[in-house]
Amino acid sequence: MNNYEVFNCDVLVIGAGGAGLRACIGAMEKGAKVGLVTKSLLGKAHTVMAEGGAAAALGNLDTEDNWEVHFRDTIRGGKFLANWRTVEIFAREAPERILELERYGAVFDRTGKGLISQRAFGGHKYRRLAHVGDRTGLEIIRTLQDKAVSMGIFDYPELTIIRLLKDGDRISGAVGYRRMDGGIVVFKAKAVVLATGGWGRMYRFTSNSWESTGDGVVLALRAGAELKDMEMVQFHPTGMIWPPSMRGILVTEGVRGDGGILLNSKGERFMFNYVPEFYRKETAETLEEALKWVHDKKNYRRPPELLPRDVVARAIYKEVQAGRGSEHGGVYLQISHMGADYIRKRLPSMVDQFLHLGNVDITKEPMEVYPTIHYTMGGVTSDPETCATNVPGLYACGEVATGLHGANRLGGNSLSDLLVFGRRAGEAAGEYAMQNESGEISESEISEEVNLLMEPLRRESGENPYQLHTELQDTMQEHAMIARTEEGLKRALEKIHELKERAKKIAVKGDTCFNPGWHQARDIQVMLTVSEVIVRSALERKESRGGHWRLDYDLEDPYWAQHNIIARLENGEIKLSHRKVPEMPEHLKKIIEG
Amino acid sequence: MATVTLNIFRGNQEKGYFQSYTVETFEGMVVLDAIHKIQREQDASLACRWNCKAAKCGSCSAEINGKPRLMCKTRIDSLPIEEPIIVTPLKTFPVIKDLVCDVSWNYEIARKIPPLKLADEGSKEPLRMMQEDVERVQEFRKCIECFLCQNVCHILRDHQRKDIFFGPRFMIKLAALEMHPLDVEDRSEFLKEVAGVGVCNITKCCTEVCPEEIHITDNGIIPLKERVADVYFDPIRGLLRWLKTP
């Protein structure tokens, strides 16, 4: 097939959130010609939704903070499943990346001394999150977007990549379609950086946009790359639950970081009943101490509302199960006691979101919240130093990659993840591209994939892609959400197999000009594959750890504490294996124990 | 079961028509929910842009009963529903399909803007800026690029003079750079000659539609106009400039 447009570049970056944009900058700094592909318009990627802040041990407010404490918090928060080297690089480099961002033009909130202000957040020992009110993600994406644009990026907005192209073992480019008109574009590239973000659209109640289908993991899987710990999905403790229209939309952890408390229907501050032994030493024991912490963070321990997300999400689930839930089946999150002026200053977009969309004035009334799908810790396996995958020429960074967050991500670690590993991936891909010649692209791979893409438009009648999506969301919500069992997961797997068969017979009306039904027909295929890997990995991990909670294996297991689950595609089948978590060197172990 | 009827523009820049859809309502429903319901249940080919559904990304801009708004932030129960709700694409930009416009002009303009320039370029030292000095800049940086302000600007909408004026969105982008406490770039000539700040006649329509409630005109455009006036129309400065010219 010859009917396509060709774009030649050194490095192709797929995804234009924080990681993708930072990768572009890194690759351009190495002299590479960079193409950037995004499914939305530039600046609309999921990074824009991040509210609380970017974690970096700058020590601007709590001078005791340093990279070692950040390292310790992240490893512990991730329940020891993270790659120690990834975390070490991250904790060491995050401050530098934040300061660099400021020099690109980001304007963070300031301390009294004129430095970047830092906010308290779940699982972080000290005030660590650089922030701009509660719209930090917007600040970061716009800053990176402006920087990349000023450096001369070649961007392809509203384009979906459907397959990575290979020359033998190595990457040679990618093929995709323009959402606007269905035009096929072939990218010839020496290196490809995957920065496609996470996947939450296969769940019914999610804080994720339509984009979060998991394209990156499926592209990687099909190109021969390894996935790791795909069962690790993060349920953010506080999503909106009412009105139904807003169900799943995020309520930032900043609410709790700034003094917000969780209450059940009896008015009890129930988090005091859910403090794990592991965190007891550093958590407030009494209501009084927790109240004092709000105004004096140096002399009092943090309230239990700021335990890591997995702990808080499970506690909310248990309260509701025990019949102590709120009117609409969640719990109450209250910040009104902090005073209207303070709330408006610290959390302006939360005030706005609840007032306009939920008819709730959070300066006066409590919010109703329940866990929502938020983030994916698992993903494409990549090297800590370079973000290289096991496929030559293919790199992965940001949420699509894995290794940093282990079994549970700490709030605020995602934005700095994008910066640290976006840069590393971009620079490594840029260097690789400058040292290697272009590979060949395969016409047969392109025509095979484009054929599959067009099929639903050729069928007169068949399955409705929206119907399949609804059924998948119901299944994942019921069986693969916060509390999992073998029986439920097996049922989910059966349903996924059924949906996969039906997905072969999808028919959509209309043409290739901005046709959401046709887009959905493609996206559902991707989501089904991702769902299958999540469910199969969740069946495999017979323990509870972080985001993965098995009601039938309620405890942590020493074997699984040391093993990641690897997923690969072999002859079209997903194969799982166990791999030992890399052993941490002694000097780092001391930091953890200290 | 309560229902609502929406008359939605279907078509493109050349030709189009209104299609009527009736959907069941639910508590808290916003216009974007109705569009999604139509896509799921009635017509999967109806095109619109959206992302966050929480008024943070600025993707789902449209005109609802003639008013430019974010569809995700417009509750159905805030509209009179005895009559059908009329949903049309932004008028200022060419329609690609249904509610989706070609807004690429805005991205071309963004490329032209001289970026932040610091005096100590290359240094890695933390910047020192006080909160009170960055507050105004932070107000402008709240912009989510929904382009509703571009859509209602008379110069762009009624006169289609995209050749002489960058529009309110880029006025506040320029204002954010100009008012950055540590920026040393001089954009006054650029503002006057390229961005066309003088063209704005301060009707404040842009400010009225801004979902982020940025005071585009009062805090952004007027100070920029004053800045340009100071440089170009102050007689003493004019004389100094004349004397300096070799």
Side-chain angles (χ1 to χ4, degrees):
Chain A
M1 76 162 273
N2 302 310
N3 198 12
Y4 56 74
E5 181 187 328
V6 178
F7 178 75
N8 280 292
C9 57
D10 296 313
V11 177
L12 177 69
V13 177
I14 306 175
L21 288 166
R22 188 61 189 81
C24 288
I25 295 166
M28 281 190 282
E29 281 174 347
K30 294 288 172 188
K33 179 185 176 188
V34 180
L36 173 64
V37 169
T38 150
K39 290 205 287 186
S40 284
L41 294 172
L42 210 51
K44 309 296 184 193
H46 226 284
T47 305
V48 92
M49 293 281 286
E51 292 161 356
L58 291 159
N60 287 351
L61 284 172
D62 296 325
T63 47
E64 306 90 321
D65 200 13
N66 58 48
W67 79 264
E68 292 187 353
V69 191
H70 194 184
F71 173 83
R72 176 178 178 271
D73 290 348
T74 304
I75 292 278
R76 283 163 58 99
K79 307 293 184 289
F80 300 92
L81 216 54
N83 180 311
W84 63 266
R85 180 60 183 148
T86 306
V87 183
E88 184 188 10
I89 289 173
F90 166 75
R92 283 179 186 271
E93 290 182 5
E96 206 180 314
R97 295 283 80 74
I98 294 290
L99 293 176
E100 168 185 84
L101 208 62
E102 184 170 56
R103 290 185 164 270
Y104 291 171
V107 184
F108 292 101
D109 287 347
R110 319 305 297 177
T111 67
K113 290 180 180 161
L115 296 170
I116 295 173
S117 176
Q118 299 189 270
R119 145 185 289 160
F121 235 56
H124 293 281
K125 186 167 183 191
Y126 298 113
R127 283 174 285 179
R128 192 176 279 150
L129 270 66
H131 60 92
V132 189
D134 51 5
R135 55 163 192 87
T136 315
L138 171 67
E139 187 68 17
I140 289 185
I141 198 170
R142 194 71 76 235
T143 302
L144 292 170
Q145 176 187 344
D146 289 349
K147 178 74 180 173
V149 163
S150 75
M151 288 173 79
I153 190 80
F154 295 90
D155 65 304
Y156 281 76
E158 302 193 307
L159 190 145
T160 300
I161 295 291
I162 53 176
R163 185 157 169 173
L164 298 177
L165 303 173
K166 285 175 78 177
D167 181 359
D169 284 341
R170 60 169 286 213
I171 288 291
S172 58
V175 57
Y177 70 94
R178 277 195 301 262
R179 302 176 73 84
M180 194 174 83
D181 59 5
I184 302 298
V185 183
V186 169
F187 297 87
K188 292 185 177 176
K190 296 170 188 167
V192 170
V193 178
L194 289 174
T196 51
W199 41 96
R201 288 305 289 178
M202 52 287 288
Y203 289 89
R204 155 118 0 264
F205 301 118
T206 171
S207 66
N208 287 186
S209 85
W210 66 268
E211 292 197 278
S212 305
T213 47
D215 298 18
V217 290
V218 176
L219 292 172
L221 201 60
R222 294 180 67 200
E226 279 181 10
L227 307 182
K228 192 167 77 180
D229 296 339
M230 287 292 289
E231 71 282 13
M232 294 301 176
V233 177
Q234 180 165 73
F235 308 95
H236 192 291
T238 58
M240 285 176 81
I241 191 169
W242 192 258
S245 156
M246 295 303 134
R247 177 113 201 216
I249 303 261
L250 186 68
V251 181
T252 176
E253 192 164 319
V255 174
R256 283 169 286 140
D258 288 344
I261 58 174
L262 290 166
L263 301 168
N264 62 21
S265 60
K266 295 178 165 176
E268 293 162 340
R269 204 166 161 186
F270 60 86
M271 277 311 300
F272 281 101
N273 306 329
Y274 294 95
V275 183
E277 201 46 50
F278 190 65
Y279 287 102
R280 205 170 287 281
K281 261 198 310 191
E282 49 207 67
T283 308
E285 272 170 54
T286 60
L287 268 169
E288 202 188 3
E289 186 178 2
L291 283 173
K292 283 182 175 160
W293 171 87
V294 174
H295 303 289
D296 182 356
K297 296 187 172 57
K298 286 207 196 311
N299 293 311
Y300 296 96
R301 290 173 297 180
R302 47 203 306 110
E305 276 87 358
L306 286 178
L307 285 162
R309 288 174 173 175
D310 54 330
V311 179
V312 182
R314 285 187 205 180
I316 294 174
Y317 175 88
K318 285 179 178 169
E319 283 298 304
V320 174
Q321 289 291 320
R324 295 187 292 270
S326 64
E327 188 188 348
H328 300 105
V331 295
Y332 296 105
L333 172 61
Q334 180 190 299
I335 186 146
S336 52
H337 55 277
M338 297 299 293
D341 286 348
Y342 171 87
I343 299 167
R344 283 200 196 97
K345 171 73 198 152
R346 301 283 294 184
L347 303 158
S349 79
M350 281 301 107
V351 173
D352 192 57
Q353 180 174 314
F354 274 91
L355 204 57
H356 282 104
L357 303 174
N359 271 347
V360 172
D361 181 354
I362 69 166
T363 66
K364 296 196 183 95
E365 309 158 79
M367 302 157 245
E368 270 189 85
V369 294
Y370 193 74
T372 179
I373 304 298
H374 183 59
Y375 188 87
T376 43
M377 279 77 69
V380 181
T381 311
S382 62
D383 175 61
E385 318 285 335
T386 62
C387 302
T389 68
N390 57 304
V391 179
L394 183 64
Y395 298 78
C397 58
E399 192 173 348
V400 71
T402 186
L404 173 60
H405 310 294
N408 173 59
R409 175 174 72 83
L410 297 186
N413 271 359
S414 153
L415 286 179
S416 24
D417 172 10
L418 309 179
L419 302 173
V420 170
F421 295 102
R423 168 180 162 270
R424 280 186 169 256
E427 290 187 357
E431 276 172 14
Y432 176 91
M434 301 320 269
Q435 288 159 7
N436 286 279
E437 294 300 314
S438 301
E440 295 296 317
I441 56 160
S442 149
E443 290 293 329
S444 65
E445 278 185 343
I446 296 169
S447 56
E448 181 189 37
E449 203 57 43
V450 172
N451 242 328
L452 277 174
L453 176 72
M454 298 297 176
E455 263 185 1
L457 287 169
R458 296 194 199 109
R459 288 197 191 95
E460 281 295 311
S461 65
E463 294 280 353
N464 175 346
Y466 284 96
Q467 177 60 30
L468 298 187
H469 186 213
T470 302
E471 289 182 35
L472 176 64
Q473 285 186 314
D474 287 344
T475 300
M476 293 298 281
Q477 188 71 28
E478 191 179 345
H479 299 301
M481 232 288 266
I482 183 164
R484 302 165 171 176
T485 62
E486 176 159 329
E487 196 199 341
L489 290 167
K490 280 190 171 158
R491 231 180 263 167
L493 199 56
E494 260 171 50
K495 182 71 183 179
I496 290 166
H497 287 314
E498 176 210 313
L499 292 172
K500 272 187 147 178
E501 285 307 309
R502 286 165 62 192
K504 290 175 186 161
K505 295 172 234 150
I506 290 175
V508 290
K509 295 209 163 30
D511 55 21
T512 57
C513 177
F514 218 115
N515 185 345
W518 180 51
H519 300 163
Q520 182 76 349
R522 176 74 198 184
D523 293 344
I524 186 73
Q525 310 279 356
V526 172
M527 284 187 274
L528 283 166
T529 305
V530 177
S531 302
E532 183 182 347
V533 189
I534 293 173
V535 169
R536 293 201 40 198
S537 303
L539 270 168
E540 189 76 9
R541 185 175 286 278
K542 294 181 175 60
E543 67 154 355
S544 293
R545 182 176 301 276
H548 175 69
W549 180 24
R550 287 280 299 261
L551 294 176
D552 45 358
Y553 296 92
D554 198 18
L555 296 172
E556 290 186 5
D557 180 302
Y559 171 82
W560 284 112
Q562 293 177 15
H563 286 85
N564 298 118
I565 294 176
I566 305 292
R568 295 189 73 140
L569 203 60
E570 281 172 28
N571 306 319
E573 296 284 314
I574 292 155
K575 298 277 182 226
L576 300 184
S577 57
H578 307 174
R579 182 179 297 156
K580 223 160 179 254
V581 177
E583 172 99 4
M584 197 183 293
E586 286 306 318
H587 70 281
L588 293 177
K589 274 188 189 161
K590 284 205 182 93
I591 296 175
I592 300 298
E593 287 151 11
Chain B
M1 192 65 80
T3 61
V4 62
T5 300
L6 298 96
N7 286 352
I8 301 175
F9 176 85
R10 302 297 311 265
N12 54 34
Q13 193 61 19
E14 278 74 50
K15 56 182 195 313
Y17 58 95
F18 281 88
Q19 176 83 44
S20 178
Y21 301 93
T22 300
V23 293
E24 283 174 11
T25 56
F26 52 83
E27 174 126 12
M29 189 185 209
V30 293
V31 173
L32 185 60
D33 287 319
I35 303 279
H36 285 163
K37 226 167 141 54
I38 293 165
Q39 288 175 336
R40 262 198 320 272
E41 296 166 5
Q42 301 181 39
D43 189 344
S45 70
L46 171 62
C48 84
R49 281 197 185 99
W50 72 282
N51 280 72
C52 74
K53 202 175 173 288
K56 290 183 169 61
C57 75
S59 300
C60 63
S61 305
E63 300 193 1
I64 300 165
N65 289 343
K67 274 195 178 163
R69 309 179 69 160
L70 296 178
M71 291 194 284
C72 74
K73 212 181 170 179
T74 308
R75 283 175 65 131
I76 298 276
D77 60 14
S78 73
L79 302 167
I81 57 167
E82 310 77 53
E83 297 286 310
I85 298 169
I86 296 164
V87 189
T88 49
L90 299 184
K91 190 186 165 206
T92 303
F93 303 103
V95 181
I96 295 170
K97 188 187 165 196
D98 307 340
L99 301 175
V100 177
C101 289
D102 178 2
V103 292
S104 57
W105 176 76
N106 294 288
Y107 291 90
E108 285 160 32
I109 294 298
R111 284 180 192 276
K112 297 183 182 170
I113 292 181
L116 183 79
K117 192 172 164 190
L118 302 173
D120 61 343
E121 207 122 349
S123 158
K124 289 187 172 178
E125 283 301 299
L127 302 185
R128 293 249 176 199
M129 300 185 281
M130 301 312 284
Q131 184 61 38
E132 54 269 32
D133 298 327
V134 299
E135 226 129 80
R136 183 53 36 85
V137 175
Q138 287 184 327
E139 180 194 350
F140 300 145
R141 292 182 67 88
K142 274 161 53 182
C143 171
I144 55 175
E145 297 202 326
C146 62
F147 305 129
L148 289 179
C149 59
Q150 302 290 79
N151 181 52
V152 294
C153 172
H154 304 293
I155 298 145
L156 307 179
R157 185 183 179 104
D158 301 328
H159 306 291
Q160 283 292 325
R161 290 303 303 270
K162 297 192 179 82
D163 55 327
I164 58 165
F165 187 46
F166 278 13
R169 191 290 169 255
F170 296 102
M171 288 299 119
I172 57 154
K173 195 177 186 80
L174 281 155
L177 289 161
E178 284 288 286
M179 295 181 201
H180 189 291
L182 300 175
D183 175 68
V184 294
E185 182 71 78
D186 180 5
R187 296 178 192 79
S188 35
E189 189 185 342
F190 182 85
L191 271 164
K192 180 172 177 283
E193 303 297 339
V194 187
V197 68
V199 178
C200 166
N201 53 2
I202 331 186
T203 54
K204 300 196 183 183
C205 303
C206 50
T207 305
E208 275 170 35
V209 297
C210 178
E212 289 293 311
E213 294 174 4
I214 300 169
H215 298 90
I216 302 173
T217 323
D218 289 350
N219 291 349
I221 299 180
I222 291 173
L224 285 182
K225 278 176 174 284
E226 286 167 351
R227 199 164 285 211
V228 169
D230 275 356
V231 175
Y232 284 91
F233 305 111
D234 181 323
I236 297 167
R237 285 215 197 180
L239 183 66
L240 282 172
R241 202 168 50 238
W242 180 75
L243 288 171
K244 272 191 196 160
T245 313

